[in-house]
Amino acid sequence: RQGLMATFMARWSGEYPGQSGHLHLSLRDRDGEPVFRDDSKLHGMSDAMRWFIGGQQKLMPELLSLVASTCNSYTRLVPGFWAPTAASWGLDNRTCAIRAIPGSAAAQRVEYRIAAADINPYLALAAAFGSGFWGIENRIEPSDPFQGDAYSGKFPRAQQLPATLAEAASR
């Protein structure tokens, strides 16, 4: 039908948590082999996966406007509404902005949980992969994995996410 258009919002009601658009990411080498799994490393995480997460964590506050590009996006990113407010990461921790998901070599991946339903998928993927690649290239170590409820956790100022689109754009 003419005139119909789907509208996706990060948070459509002040009474309910927002709508997510999480990204699940993994990498393969030039031979098609997964690179995130290394059984000889802690938690089975390869150096590449650890650095990938480190880059994402480090740059998330600066790249947030690419992932949360509308004013409505920031109504979802508030304490108590099932969305992260800090660049946190954890092992299979669904309360963190970045979730390392253990599994077989083919299934191990990173969930970039900051993205919402209103993302521009091209910009969000560019931010998520670009920051991860930067982390690998520069061997950026992430913080220790957060354990517990990251929604109520305390994080350093450098990990706090901008609270508005204007703040995110200025960063």
Side-chain angles (χ1 to χ4, degrees):
R1 294 191 203 233
Q2 262 186 320
L4 292 179
M5 179 175 61
T7 302
F8 299 99
M9 296 180 73
R11 190 160 171 213
W12 58 273
S13 169
E15 298 175 28
Y16 300 101
Q19 307 301 310
S20 66
H22 303 170
L23 306 172
H24 288 253
L25 311 168
S26 62
L27 296 178
R28 294 181 179 266
D29 64 18
R30 291 182 181 178
D31 296 324
E33 296 299 316
V35 300
F36 279 170
R37 182 88 190 160
D38 184 342
D39 291 326
S40 70
K41 301 286 186 175
L42 185 63
H43 308 299
M45 287 177 53
S46 69
D47 290 339
M49 183 176 184
R50 195 177 70 251
W51 297 330
F52 189 86
I53 290 169
Q56 288 182 324
Q57 183 181 35
K58 177 85 171 167
L59 296 181
M60 187 177 283
E62 274 51 59
L63 298 179
L64 188 61
S65 64
L66 296 177
V67 179
S69 57
T70 70
C71 292
N72 183 261
S73 300
Y74 296 84
T75 65
R76 177 180 163 263
L77 303 176
V78 294
F81 279 92
W82 301 353
T85 57
S88 57
W89 84 277
L91 295 163
D92 208 10
N93 187 334
R94 293 176 190 267
T95 67
C96 292
I98 302 163
R99 176 180 164 221
I101 302 173
S104 67
Q108 188 149 323
R109 63 197 183 278
V110 172
E111 181 183 12
Y112 197 77
R113 299 187 72 256
I114 198 68
D118 61 350
I119 61 170
N120 174 320
Y122 304 105
L123 293 178
L125 284 168
F129 274 117
S131 59
F133 292 148
W134 177 82
I136 292 171
E137 184 177 303
N138 293 286
R139 299 181 174 204
I140 304 299
E141 292 291 340
S143 65
D144 290 335
F146 190 85
Q147 296 179 1
D149 181 2
Y151 299 143
S152 59
K154 302 292 182 207
F155 296 93
R157 179 145 173 76
Q159 287 180 245
Q160 296 299 314
L161 296 176
T164 65
L165 179 57
E167 182 186 348
S170 71
R171 288 183 76 168

